[in-house]
């Protein structure tokens, strides 16, 4: 329950702790019902429904849905009853609820569910199992694969090659992570209206929103760091990529395919080559570790971040590398850590919405700044001047050691990791991170 309340606060309130009337809808997931004659059995979603009703009852009391008989719930488990009492008691001391309680009605109006109703109990539990047994239910990448293979129905040799490569890349369902946390976010986390991905949004972006040319074998190209002078390429199942260079041609490795993250995607061959390019680029950066400067920062400073910040760090590196390759990539990694670290030391808790606030609540979306920059220095300057809650991010590094919380806590661990990483300093004298900006400049001089 506490995590949900924290997520709502991050999602619906600005950095100045004001409720945002224009906050996007908040997706609560799917709720599965079995229609049993005149009543509905909740197969999946009981905890979410109960949590919302408890919050409503606690805040609205006699005007709550339960007291107005708008909901009539029966629980068949004594354990459920015990948990309800525990959670209701928790609400009495929840600081998170205090922050949002005056706006709870507005928040409820912006909650979105997917409602599924079956007329067969067997069907309900079969559906539930398929949703919770990974590999049984078709995910977005399975639909994408099938959709774009249909565009190649007359090209069996190309189909065979793409299927083999796709399945190899998708070991342990890695493509699910690539499309959701890297490709979809890099294309859609722009401007101020930012939301999290779901299956429908992924399918819309990489299926419905792709396009088809009259000659779909020849792919239109867009200018980027891998392409300064070609307008199209042709894919050959035996020869691979041939880029038309009026009249020269050259063969490329997947990580160098001349695509850009936010470019339009062409159906069929264009989609598969796009996916292969960014699979290979991600592998190059984080699995093969061919850019050691990034790995050095990732394995030292970023190691104490939680999964939300680690994913954000990797996503930002992919966007930057796709634009500038290895040009000043170490400097970018250091300033990116400077940005994320300022929030790490300032907040006791980092939740899923925290990285989103970095993009949404600054004057410019950080990812847009990377995409639109002509020189890396424009990005570094943006980070150094970035304000959060009205204060420059350098301000948050001014904490004393006693302000970092528990000795073995995550904030103290991050402080210690910094002291080790920037070990050219007099560590027996400097134990705070007050001079971190200067440390970065000194490290770069080396």
């Amino acid at each position: 329950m506490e995590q949900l309340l924290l997520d709502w606060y991050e999602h619906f309130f600005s950095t100045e702790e004001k409720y945002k009337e224009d906050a996007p809808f908040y997706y609560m997931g799917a709720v599965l019902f079995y229609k049993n004659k005149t009543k509905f059995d909740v197969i999946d979603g009981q905890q979410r429904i109960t949590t919302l009703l408890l919050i409503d009852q606690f805040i609205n009391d006699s005007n709550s849905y339960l007291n107005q008989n708008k909901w009539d719930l029966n629980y068949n488990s004594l354990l459920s009853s015990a948990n309800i009492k525990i959670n209701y008691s928790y609400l009495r001391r929840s600081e998170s609820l205090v922050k949002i309680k005056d706006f709870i009605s507005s928040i409820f109006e912006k909650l979105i569910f997917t409602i599924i109703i079956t007329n067969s109990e067997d069907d309900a539990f079969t559906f539930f199992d398929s949703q919770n047994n990974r590999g049984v239910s078709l995910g977005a990448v399975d639909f994408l694969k099938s959709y774009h293979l249909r565009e190649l129905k007359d090209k069996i040799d190309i189909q065979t090659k793409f299927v083999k490569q796709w399945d190899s890349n998708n070991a342990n369902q890695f493509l699910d992570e690539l499309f959701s946390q890297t490709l979809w976010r890099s294309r859609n986390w722009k401007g101020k209206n930012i939301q999290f991905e779901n299956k429908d949004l992924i399918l819309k972006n990489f299926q419905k929103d792709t396009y088809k040319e009259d000659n779909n074998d020849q792919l239109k190209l867009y200018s980027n760091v891998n392409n300064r002078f070609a307008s199209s390429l042709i894919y050959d199942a035996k020869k691979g990529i041939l880029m038309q260079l009026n009249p020269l041609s050259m063969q490329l490795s997947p990580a160098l395919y001349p695509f850009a993250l936010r470019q339009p995607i062409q159906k069929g061959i264009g989609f598969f080559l796009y996916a292969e390019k960014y699979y290979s680029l991600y592998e190059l950066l984080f699995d093969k570790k061919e850019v050691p400067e990034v790995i050095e920062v990732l394995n030292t400073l970023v190691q104490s971040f939680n999964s939300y910040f680690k994913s954000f760090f990797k996503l930002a590196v992919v966007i930057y590398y796709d634009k500038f390759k290895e040009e000043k990539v170490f400097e970018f990694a250091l300033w990116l850590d400077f940005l994320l670290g300022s929030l790490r030391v300032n907040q006791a808790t980092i939740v899923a919405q925290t990285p989103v606030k970095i993009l949404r609540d600054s004057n410019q979306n950080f990812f847009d700044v990377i995409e639109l920059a002509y020189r890396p220095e424009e990005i570094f300057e943006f980070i150094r001047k970035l304000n959060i809650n009205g204060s420059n991010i350098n301000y948050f590094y001014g904490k004393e050691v006693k302000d970092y919380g528990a000795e073995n806590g995550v904030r103290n661990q991050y402080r210690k990791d910094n002291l080790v990483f920037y070990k050219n300093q007099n560590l027996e004298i400097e134990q705070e991170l007050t001079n971190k900006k200067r440390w970065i400049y000194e490290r770069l001089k080396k």
Side-chain angles (χ1 to χ4, degrees):
M1 180 178 291
E2 176 64 17
Q3 186 61 58
L4 177 64
L5 295 174
L6 283 171
D7 284 349
W8 283 355
Y9 181 72
E10 292 277 347
H11 184 81
F12 289 106
F13 290 80
S14 68
T15 53
E16 292 79 24
E17 301 184 351
K18 294 181 179 179
Y19 179 75
K20 296 185 298 185
E21 297 288 347
D22 61 346
F25 289 95
Y26 185 97
Y27 183 62
M28 292 286 292
V31 178
L32 175 61
F33 296 97
Y34 157 52
K35 188 175 182 180
N36 184 6
K37 297 180 180 178
T38 59
K39 66 178 183 178
F40 291 87
D41 292 341
V42 183
I43 306 300
D44 187 23
Q46 175 181 307
Q47 184 175 347
R48 279 165 288 162
I49 293 172
T50 304
T51 297
L52 294 179
L53 290 172
L54 286 177
I55 295 172
D56 177 49
Q57 176 68 30
F58 182 80
I59 292 177
N60 295 317
D61 195 17
S62 61
N63 292 321
S64 70
Y65 275 73
L66 291 174
N67 281 334
Q68 294 182 60
N69 296 318
K70 292 183 178 180
W71 278 79
D72 182 16
L73 291 177
N74 292 297
Y75 295 86
N76 298 321
S77 167
L78 292 176
L79 181 60
S80 294
S81 300
N83 287 333
I84 288 172
K85 293 178 181 178
I86 292 172
N87 284 320
Y88 192 76
S89 176
Y90 166 79
L91 291 174
R92 298 180 186 277
R93 61 182 187 276
S94 172
E95 295 181 2
S96 299
L97 183 60
V98 171
K99 295 179 180 179
I100 68 173
K101 66 184 183 69
D102 292 339
F103 301 92
I104 202 68
S105 296
S106 298
I107 290 174
F108 277 9
E109 289 177 359
K110 287 201 169 186
L111 301 182
I112 299 294
F113 288 86
T114 298
I115 305 298
I116 304 166
I117 300 174
T118 70
N119 294 313
S120 163
E121 189 171 16
D122 287 341
D123 288 347
F125 281 101
T126 299
F127 187 89
F128 176 77
D129 288 341
S130 72
Q131 292 300 300
N132 291 279
N133 184 0
R134 193 173 191 176
V136 176
S137 175
L138 286 178
V141 297
D142 299 303
F143 283 107
L144 292 175
K145 173 186 174 183
S146 299
Y147 177 83
H148 289 285
L149 283 176
R150 287 199 297 272
E151 294 293 329
L152 306 172
K153 57 182 180 294
D154 298 326
K155 303 177 179 64
I156 303 301
D157 55 340
I158 295 179
Q159 264 193 347
T160 301
K161 188 165 185 176
F162 281 147
V163 167
K164 183 178 179 180
Q165 188 63 57
W166 181 275
D167 291 343
S168 173
N169 293 348
N170 201 28
N172 299 317
Q173 285 73 52
F174 173 73
L175 292 182
D176 289 324
E177 178 182 341
L178 181 70
F179 272 90
S180 62
Q181 296 190 20
T182 301
L183 298 182
W184 190 89
R185 292 181 182 182
S186 68
R187 295 172 65 86
N188 293 277
W189 278 11
K190 50 190 177 183
K192 300 289 186 180
N193 187 19
I194 297 172
Q195 60 183 319
F196 282 97
E197 66 283 349
N198 58 49
K199 181 176 176 179
D200 290 339
L201 290 175
I202 292 174
L203 290 178
K204 180 180 184 299
N205 200 170
F206 297 103
Q207 179 175 303
K208 182 179 179 181
D209 290 349
T210 57
Y211 72 98
K212 187 172 183 178
E213 295 279 7
D214 292 336
N215 179 7
N216 220 31
D217 294 340
Q218 188 162 341
L219 308 183
K220 181 177 175 60
L221 297 180
Y222 303 84
S223 179
N224 59 75
V225 70
N226 285 322
N227 174 38
R228 306 294 191 194
F229 45 86
S231 59
S232 65
L233 64 79
I234 295 176
Y235 178 82
D236 185 278
K238 295 180 179 179
K239 296 180 180 179
I241 288 287
L242 298 173
M243 194 160 66
Q244 303 303 301
L245 303 178
N246 302 321
L248 299 175
S249 65
M250 59 185 295
Q251 291 182 286
L252 302 171
S253 62
L256 297 177
Y257 287 173
F259 301 127
L261 273 167
R262 291 183 174 181
Q263 72 163 67
I265 299 175
Q266 199 166 322
K267 296 182 187 297
I269 291 175
F271 167 79
F272 284 110
L273 293 182
Y274 178 91
E276 175 64 12
K277 185 261 176 76
Y278 289 105
Y279 168 85
S280 298
L281 192 152
Y282 191 98
E283 182 184 46
L284 177 152
L285 287 169
F286 305 116
D287 295 332
K288 295 182 177 179
K289 302 177 181 180
E290 293 185 12
V291 186
E293 300 92 337
V294 170
I295 299 303
E296 181 182 5
V297 177
L298 184 62
N299 288 346
T300 53
L301 298 176
V302 181
Q303 66 169 337
S304 59
F305 290 164
N306 66 11
S307 60
Y308 302 128
F309 268 10
K310 286 179 180 177
S311 295
F312 187 93
F313 180 88
K314 289 183 176 181
L315 173 56
V317 167
V318 168
I319 296 172
Y320 179 89
Y321 192 85
D322 192 52
K323 182 70 181 285
F324 293 104
K325 289 295 180 276
E326 296 185 22
E327 182 182 357
K328 298 194 174 184
V329 68
F330 182 55
E331 186 168 356
F332 173 75
L334 291 182
W335 288 118
L336 177 58
D337 164 71
F338 184 78
L339 166 57
L340 296 178
S342 68
L343 293 175
R344 173 68 284 176
V345 301
N346 189 53
Q347 297 183 195
T349 304
I350 302 297
V351 297
Q353 282 289 337
T354 306
V356 172
K357 290 170 72 68
I358 297 173
L359 307 177
R360 187 185 60 210
D361 295 350
S362 58
N363 290 333
Q364 288 179 275
N365 181 303
F366 177 51
F367 292 163
D368 290 345
V369 171
I370 299 175
E371 288 283 3
L372 296 173
Y374 288 98
R375 302 172 65 243
E377 288 79 5
E378 298 174 47
I379 304 167
F380 310 153
E381 186 67 10
F382 172 82
I383 294 175
R384 290 192 290 264
K385 292 182 177 180
L386 186 62
N387 289 329
I388 296 177
N389 292 334
S391 300
N392 183 268
I393 59 174
N394 190 55
Y395 169 79
F396 300 124
Y397 286 107
K399 294 178 179 291
E400 299 180 11
V401 173
K402 63 181 179 64
D403 296 323
Y404 278 80
E407 175 67 21
N408 296 321
V410 290
R411 287 189 289 177
N412 245 319
Q413 184 59 54
Y414 179 71
R415 179 183 65 85
K416 295 172 185 177
D417 290 342
N418 273 261
L419 296 177
V420 172
F421 183 82
Y422 296 104
K423 58 187 176 183
N424 56 316
Q425 314 305 318
N426 294 320
L427 300 186
E428 65 276 8
I429 299 175
E430 293 189 271
Q431 290 296 311
E432 295 89 7
L433 303 183
T434 307
N435 295 314
K436 180 170 178 175
K437 183 182 287 188
R438 173 170 60 81
W439 296 353
I440 294 174
Y441 286 125
E442 292 177 355
R443 181 65 183 263
L444 291 171
K445 288 179 182 178
K446 290 186 173 183

